[in-house]
Amino acid sequence: MRLFVYKLTVDGGVAPCVRKGLLSLGICKPSIRTSAEIGDVVFGFAANSLDRRNPLIYIARVTDKVVAGEYYRSKKYAARPDCIYEFDEGEAAFRLRRGVTFHTTHRDLLRDLGRAPNYSRAEVLLSTDFRYFGGEGSDWYKSMYPKIGLAVEKLGQGHRVNHNLDLRDQLVRLKNRIWRTIDGRSSAATTSTKRRACSEVSACDTA
């Protein structure tokens, strides 16, 4: 089990996207989406630009992974807010769905999906085993798990996955404590509290 830690600069309901008991990470953070596998755990904290306290926004254990752009082809996921691309059979390429107002440039598509025809970044992480706090997240973890607090404060763009034993131990203890004390169904109820939307003006992280 690998532990991915990163900081969100935006939390507008699409990265991650939480809906009907499923958390998905389908756009932004391509390096995490292509590297993480089933069983790995992703920790998302707020970046300073979003909230200087660096509150915990979510933790998710990856329970499934959709590759090769199938997330955007399947009717199963079509109604989800982060399913922003569709496959154009005539052009044999992905394009932005009509009406989508963010990630509107070709550069965004390349960052999210990769280049045709392989679309090496078109991988989506799914989790039915998560705790999402959104705008209700807090920084209480810093006092109980100081090594996590220090690591998060120092973390810049990108993510961290190689941890020393002490930091890894505290991350595991934080995850286990939250799983013991907070029911997954109740944590999803906070999804109505959103922070800045992901757009061209305030773009998501690239790494």
Side-chain angles (χ1 to χ4, degrees):
M1 179 182 69
R2 290 177 299 171
L3 310 176
F4 290 79
V5 176
Y6 79 105
K7 292 161 82 171
L8 289 78
T9 58
V10 294
D11 181 30
V14 291
C17 173
V18 180
R19 184 172 182 179
K20 296 184 178 180
L22 178 68
L23 181 148
S24 55
L25 188 60
I27 59 175
C28 307
K29 309 310 297 182
S31 57
I32 293 180
R33 290 187 287 106
T34 55
S35 300
E37 300 294 343
I38 294 173
D40 292 340
V41 179
V42 181
F43 296 74
F45 298 87
N48 289 354
S49 59
L50 184 59
D51 188 326
R52 296 191 65 84
R53 299 173 303 140
N54 306 128
L56 174 63
I57 295 179
Y58 80 97
I59 306 176
R61 183 178 65 86
V62 180
T63 56
D64 199 2
K65 185 172 183 177
V66 185
V67 300
E70 287 303 315
Y71 185 81
Y72 303 104
R73 298 173 185 259
S74 173
K75 293 181 179 179
K76 180 179 180 180
Y77 306 112
R80 293 180 63 81
D82 64 345
C83 191
I84 64 173
Y85 299 106
E86 63 184 1
F87 194 74
D88 185 325
E89 297 291 348
E91 296 291 333
F94 281 103
R95 65 184 180 189
L96 193 70
R97 289 180 182 270
R98 184 175 301 176
V100 175
T101 58
F102 55 93
H103 283 221
T104 57
T105 70
H106 184 62
R107 181 182 178 184
D108 291 322
L109 188 149
L110 291 178
R111 185 177 61 211
D112 289 338
L113 305 184
R115 295 185 180 277
N118 296 326
Y119 292 107
S120 60
R121 293 181 168 185
E123 302 188 357
V124 179
L125 304 180
L126 303 178
S127 176
T128 56
D129 185 20
F130 65 90
R131 304 294 187 271
Y132 175 84
F133 306 102
E136 297 181 5
S138 76
D139 63 347
W140 65 267
Y141 67 90
K142 290 183 177 181
S143 60
M144 185 167 291
Y145 305 106
K147 292 187 181 300
I148 298 178
L150 184 61
V152 170
E153 289 173 359
K154 289 184 175 181
L155 183 63
Q157 191 177 35
H159 69 273
R160 182 171 175 175
V161 68
N162 296 314
H163 315 291
N164 61 44
L165 292 178
D166 289 341
L167 178 55
R168 180 182 173 85
D169 176 66
Q170 290 198 1
L171 287 167
V172 171
R173 287 164 55 195
L174 171 61
K175 188 261 185 189
N176 290 343
R177 179 182 179 86
I178 290 177
W179 257 241
R180 287 195 308 269
T181 58
I182 300 175
D183 182 84
R185 290 169 295 180
S186 62
S187 71
T190 68
T191 58
S192 60
T193 306
K194 300 297 181 188
R195 304 171 192 257
R196 289 185 298 128
C198 183
S199 65
E200 278 189 80
V201 178
S202 58
C204 300
D205 286 342
T206 58

